[in-house]
Amino acid sequence: MWELKIVGISCPHCKHLKLHNLPELILFATKVQKKKIKMSESSNKQLKVLQNLPDELMVRSLSFLPIQSLLQTRVVSKLFRHTEIRSLDLDFSRIFSVERSQLEVTNIIQNVFNKHEGMEINRFVLCPEGIDWEESVTSWINTCIGKNIQEIVLDFSKSREVVEIPIDFSAIKTLTVLNLRWCKFDEIPNNSPEGLKLLKKLSLVRTMTTKEMVDAIFTNCIHLELLELIECGIYGILTIPAPNHKKFKSLVLSTMTNITDIVVHAPTLEYFKYEGYVTNITFSTTDALKEANIHYKRNRHIYDPSDMVISNMKDYTKVYVLATTNIFLEALIKRHVGGGRLERKGTFKFENLTDFKISFNARSFCTLFEIAEFLNDCPKVERLVIDIQNFEFADRLEFWEIHLKEDIENNNYLFMFLNEVKIIGYKNHWHELDIVEFFVKNAPALVKVDLEMPKNSKTKVHQPDNARINVITSKFPAIKVTEV
């Protein structure tokens, strides 16, 4: 059922009705009429007031709707068929479908720009399929620039080739958000260009980028809050020079295969995501860092990256939220050091950590023991997610059976604040039951255990051990198993 809430500015044509967003309310009315949606009596009374609004007011209000909603509304009613277009939000990301040819889509978008009567356009989003969009997109962006565009999102990833749009994005004065995927981004001059002074968010995907360009970004974009560099061709040492940026909060670096070292000077950084091979990452300070997503991938040329992982680990000990992969935990695996003794390479306390997610994405010797030992150094952890969608524990885990299982049973683990555990990709493997049973036993505050079984798993789903499952559920009945 649609829920109708009417609050906000008063309507001059009805003293007793207050409308939060008149265009959206009229759109709602057309949906009610078309789909014959049932409403509560109070909502029905409020909606009837719209009948007293002049057609001219309704049509003009609708002209400011986001373009997707406006195009839908024009089809619903004859009254709105010739509504003028003043949309501030030109998001065409959902206009592409198998039912429309590239020519049809181009004509629809071109018609919107031809008939746009508004003085401003705040947002332009385009995710085209196919090729040969350069001329049309250039024309549309130039129109947007003339109407003080603030946000541009261009995603050419479906074309599978980097597209060159002859637009100097660095010269756009009003831009606050720029997201370019598979789209060439020209060099930013170091001599303080007129544009980009207001830029807050910059995302570049599969775009040739240089270290000099990164320097220029931080020199010119003094209000920058977020920077994403994904599959960008930078070589050698990447430096993030933001020591004097007071608003820079978020940094994402992904699949930068040619980088050897990363040096981050960003005292206000709160969120950091890195996806790729293990590499040296150095922070000048992490006092403001609250969340880290360290998605290490296996590098065939480096047999054991654990020393580098341990070296980086100290910078994440103050975070509240941590997501990582099995490679992170492998660095903490106990190893033989002689005399029959097993020791870890490093020990760190994650005093603030409340949310931890571990994803197993490659063959690994990690077991419940490594997860338990890590969490033992996280005294405030509340939520745990274990993602094994693309992973399966071996049928036999000799090291677990010989050395670690006994340690797990003899150690007095206690996770006082842990209240949620989720396993994504649960397959009824016996060691997965070890994990469930362990946390049921050692987390007194536990209220929720979710086991998500894959419908189409790449690895086999085992037959359930019903006898063991019954024992576990007798101790903790609130285990929920779902198929996703």
Side-chain angles (χ1 to χ4, degrees):
M1 181 182 296
W2 289 81
E3 181 181 357
L4 181 66
K5 293 183 180 180
I6 304 180
V7 292
I9 61 172
S10 59
C11 171
H13 296 276
C14 181
K15 297 180 180 179
H16 304 290
L17 179 64
K18 291 185 177 182
L19 302 176
H20 174 65
N21 189 325
L22 183 58
E24 293 289 353
L25 184 59
I26 298 172
L27 176 62
F28 168 78
T30 63
K31 289 180 178 179
V32 170
Q33 181 181 10
K34 183 179 179 182
K35 299 183 179 181
K36 299 180 179 180
I37 299 169
K38 294 182 180 180
M39 298 182 302
S40 64
E41 184 178 349
S42 59
S43 296
N44 198 26
K45 288 181 180 179
Q46 292 171 327
L47 200 56
K48 285 182 179 179
V49 180
L50 288 175
Q51 297 175 359
N52 298 323
L53 294 178
D55 290 350
E56 181 182 352
L57 175 61
M58 293 180 67
V59 172
R60 182 169 178 82
S61 297
L62 281 172
S63 70
F64 290 96
L65 278 172
I67 193 61
Q68 201 70 31
S69 300
L70 178 56
L71 293 177
Q72 293 173 356
T73 307
R74 284 178 139 200
V75 178
V76 169
S77 170
K78 292 181 179 179
L79 175 63
F80 306 137
R81 188 162 297 169
H82 301 291
T83 302
E84 292 180 344
I85 300 175
R86 296 184 177 85
S87 303
L88 298 174
D89 185 354
L90 299 186
D91 185 345
F92 296 103
S93 58
R94 293 183 294 157
I95 200 171
F96 298 89
S97 70
V98 294
E99 299 174 358
R100 293 192 180 109
S101 66
Q102 181 171 322
L103 179 60
E104 288 177 302
V105 172
T106 303
N107 289 338
I108 292 173
I109 299 175
Q110 187 62 57
N111 187 55
V112 168
F113 277 96
N114 290 342
K115 296 184 178 180
H116 195 280
E117 301 290 336
M119 298 296 293
E120 293 188 349
I121 297 174
N122 290 346
R123 186 167 180 259
F124 175 56
V125 180
L126 187 68
C127 307
E129 299 177 4
I131 57 175
D132 299 327
W133 285 90
E134 290 88 339
E135 184 176 346
S136 297
V137 173
T138 301
S139 171
W140 300 333
I141 293 178
N142 280 324
T143 300
C144 291
I145 293 173
K147 297 192 177 189
N148 301 319
I149 186 68
Q150 297 177 21
E151 178 176 350
I152 294 177
V153 178
L154 298 178
D155 184 354
F156 291 95
S157 58
K158 292 181 179 178
S159 67
R160 308 311 298 173
E161 61 180 53
V162 176
V163 175
E164 183 172 357
I165 303 296
I167 294 287
D168 183 4
F169 293 102
S170 66
I172 304 177
K173 297 180 181 181
T174 56
L175 210 55
T176 61
V177 178
L178 179 60
N179 188 329
L180 301 179
R181 294 175 177 264
W182 292 65
C183 181
K184 186 177 180 181
F185 185 42
D186 289 331
E187 286 284 343
I188 301 174
N190 268 318
N191 57 349
S192 298
E194 293 183 355
L196 300 186
K197 294 298 184 184
L198 302 179
L199 195 67
K200 295 181 179 180
K201 299 179 181 180
L202 176 61
S203 179
L204 302 177
V205 180
R206 204 63 178 268
T207 300
M208 183 55 66
T209 311
T210 63
K211 290 182 283 187
E212 291 75 20
M213 183 186 295
V214 174
D215 290 340
I217 288 171
F218 284 97
T219 298
N220 295 295
C221 307
I222 58 176
H223 297 290
L224 194 66
E225 299 174 3
L226 176 148
L227 175 64
E228 289 185 342
L229 299 177
I230 302 173
E231 296 185 56
C232 294
I234 297 178
Y235 289 79
I237 300 174
L238 171 64
T239 300
I240 304 298
N244 300 317
H245 282 63
K246 305 300 182 183
K247 300 178 181 180
F248 187 58
K249 306 291 186 184
S250 182
L251 175 63
V252 177
L253 304 173
S254 178
T255 322
M256 312 278 280
T257 55
N258 297 311
I259 288 179
T260 57
D261 296 84
I262 299 171
V263 180
V264 181
H265 300 290
T268 59
L269 192 67
E270 296 181 359
Y271 175 81
F272 176 65
K273 178 179 179 180
Y274 174 78
E275 182 173 2
Y277 300 143
V278 178
T279 190
N280 288 312
I281 304 175
T282 305
F283 293 84
S284 58
T285 178
T286 56
D287 289 344
L289 194 62
K290 297 177 181 178
E291 181 174 352
N293 188 335
I294 312 301
H295 199 92
Y296 288 136
K297 295 182 178 180
R298 188 80 70 196
N299 189 339
R300 297 177 182 177
H301 303 293
I302 301 178
Y303 176 70
D304 182 8
S306 57
D307 287 337
M308 205 179 296
V309 174
I310 293 292
S311 177
N312 293 337
M313 199 173 292
K314 65 182 184 302
D315 289 321
Y316 311 121
T317 55
K318 297 178 183 179
V319 300
Y320 295 85
V321 179
L322 176 62
T324 188
T325 65
N326 52 284
I327 296 174
F328 185 92
L329 283 188
E330 285 172 10
L332 300 174
I333 288 179
K334 284 189 173 183
R335 290 168 169 80
H336 285 283
V337 294
R341 292 183 300 114
L342 296 171
E343 288 185 3
R344 288 165 61 176
K345 281 192 174 183
T347 301
F348 300 90
K349 283 287 185 181
F350 291 76
E351 298 284 357
N352 299 325
L353 194 67
T354 59
D355 294 71
F356 179 60
K357 179 179 179 180
I358 177 72
S359 298
F360 288 76
N361 295 325
R363 286 191 63 84
S364 175
F365 296 107
C366 283
T367 62
L368 166 61
F369 182 80
E370 282 70 42
I371 298 173
E373 285 289 284
F374 177 81
L375 293 180
N376 214 28
D377 294 323
C378 310
K380 297 179 182 178
V381 68
E382 298 176 8
R383 287 166 289 275
L384 169 66
V385 177
I386 302 172
D387 187 344
I388 51 174
Q389 291 183 87
N390 303 314
F391 175 85
E392 183 177 18
F393 293 105
D395 290 334
R396 289 180 58 83
L397 298 171
E398 288 85 356
F399 199 74
W400 160 262
E401 293 287 351
I402 297 172
H403 298 286
L404 304 180
K405 186 176 181 180
E406 184 178 355
D407 286 350
I408 281 281
E409 293 171 350
N410 293 336
N411 289 351
N412 294 319
Y413 294 97
L414 187 61
F415 308 105
M416 290 298 298
F417 299 99
L418 185 63
N419 56 67
E420 293 184 23
V421 174
K422 176 187 283 189
I423 299 180
I424 302 173
Y426 176 79
K427 308 175 193 67
N428 287 317
H429 189 280
W430 61 267
H431 195 56
E432 295 169 6
L433 287 176
D434 286 343
I435 295 172
V436 175
E437 188 174 27
F438 172 80
F439 288 110
V440 166
K441 176 184 176 182
N442 296 290
L446 196 63
V447 296
K448 187 177 181 181
V449 176
D450 287 341
L451 308 178
E452 294 186 356
M453 298 186 67
K455 286 183 179 179
N456 302 308
S457 176
K458 295 180 180 179
T459 55
K460 65 179 180 180
V461 175
H462 302 263
Q463 289 296 318
D465 185 345
N466 292 320
R468 191 176 179 193
I469 292 173
N470 289 337
V471 171
I472 297 173
T473 54
S474 67
K475 299 175 183 177
F476 187 82
I479 297 176
K480 182 181 178 181
V481 181
T482 56
E483 195 175 64
V484 294

